[in-house]
Amino acid sequence: MKTSHINKNTSVNSLLIFLASFGISFSLVNEFVFDKPKSELLVIMICLLVAGFASKKRNQSKDN
């Protein structure tokens, strides 16, 4: 029972990190390629990326 809960959290964290990375890439492409800066989106995605890494690190330390 505990293993399935940990696997679900790990997959959610990985999805959060992936989507945040995609959002950062999207906002950087808009800023440098299309000259349409979306700085608010960039700040939000950076915060989500940090939150995803922190959550993943917390789950890893909880497992040990």
Side-chain angles (χ1 to χ4, degrees), residues 32-50:
F32 293 115
V33 175
F34 300 120
D35 291 327
K36 296 179 182 176
K38 295 187 182 243
S39 57
E40 298 87 12
L41 178 64
L42 183 62
V43 170
I44 291 169
M45 290 298 149
I46 289 173
C47 291
L48 286 174
L49 186 66
V50 169

Side-chain angles (χ1 to χ4, degrees), residues 9-29:
N9 284 339
T10 303
S11 63
V12 169
N13 289 338
S14 297
L15 182 64
L16 178 65
I17 291 171
F18 173 75
L19 290 176
S21 300
F22 183 75
I24 289 172
S25 301
F26 175 75
S27 63
L28 289 175
V29 166

